[in-house]
Amino acid sequence: MNKDEYIKVLEKRVEEYEAAIADMTAPIIPSIIPQTILVPITGLLMAERFEKITAKILKHIRDHDTEFAIIDFTDITVDRLEQMCLSELGEQIRNLTDSINLMGVKPYFVGMTPQLIKEIILSGIELNAETHANFQAALKHLMKINSLAFQKI
């Protein structure tokens, strides 16, 4: 194998690894509540990656019967933002919110840090989404509005 062929093989492998990492850092997980998905966002976050996550969520909503989407920002802190400021992240979140709403799905955001919340408020960004402190609180709320309860069997 010559040098150019070897470089092409390595470039292809890097693309495959990047795709695998992107998939793992924003998996779409079906919830125990019907028609509900959980999307925990982890890892370094930049505008391009957030746009890919948004596209992935919207594609999943289009292809599956989804009524609620819980987006978990617990892992996203200021030091996880790369080449993106908090106000830009707030704009990306608003765009995600608007897109999910336009698809007829109700977005829920959980795990937002006080810094992110402050920046969203100060930027005047309006989110048309319900928020909860954590995933468990959002699930309890959704169970309540769907008249669902755990029972011992």
Side-chain angles (χ1 to χ4, degrees):
M1 179 180 300
N2 69 34
K3 184 178 170 182
D4 290 337
E5 290 172 334
Y6 184 69
I7 290 173
K8 287 190 190 275
V9 168
L10 289 178
E11 287 174 344
K12 183 173 174 25
R13 191 173 295 161
V14 167
E15 286 177 21
E16 290 169 352
Y17 290 153
E18 286 176 343
I21 289 169
D23 197 46
M24 289 186 307
T25 58
I28 297 177
I29 304 166
S31 170
I32 58 171
I33 298 174
Q35 299 171 310
T36 303
I37 58 171
L38 168 65
V39 184
I41 299 176
T42 62
L44 292 176
L45 200 54
M46 57 197 84
E48 179 184 331
R49 182 165 171 261
F50 201 90
E51 289 170 10
K52 288 180 181 178
I53 291 169
T54 298
K56 180 180 177 182
I57 293 168
L58 297 178
K59 182 182 181 312
H60 182 89
I61 289 171
R62 182 194 69 207
D63 296 341
H64 298 84
D65 186 18
T66 306
E67 189 173 342
F68 305 102
I70 303 172
I71 315 299
D72 189 348
F73 290 95
T74 301
D75 189 55
I76 302 304
T77 57
V78 174
D79 60 326
R80 293 287 196 166
L81 301 180
E82 188 168 294
Q83 301 170 352
M84 183 164 68
C85 62
L86 282 172
S87 60
E88 187 177 2
L89 176 59
E91 266 306 308
Q92 293 279 357
I93 293 171
R94 185 189 55 74
N95 291 340
L96 172 62
T97 304
D98 291 348
S99 298
I100 290 173
N101 277 314
L102 282 171
M103 294 193 75
V105 172
K106 185 162 172 85
Y108 286 79
F109 294 127
V110 300
M112 289 185 160
T113 65
Q115 288 173 311
L116 178 56
I117 293 168
K118 179 181 174 183
E119 190 60 43
I120 289 171
I121 299 293
L122 291 176
S123 298
I125 296 169
E126 292 186 34
L127 296 180
N128 189 12
E130 194 162 325
T131 60
H132 292 274
N134 55 47
F135 176 59
Q136 183 179 16
L139 279 182
K140 284 182 180 178
H141 172 76
L142 286 172
M143 288 180 70
K144 183 177 179 181
I145 67 171
N146 285 298
S147 301
L148 299 172
F150 286 115
Q151 293 182 358
K152 288 185 181 182
I153 50 174

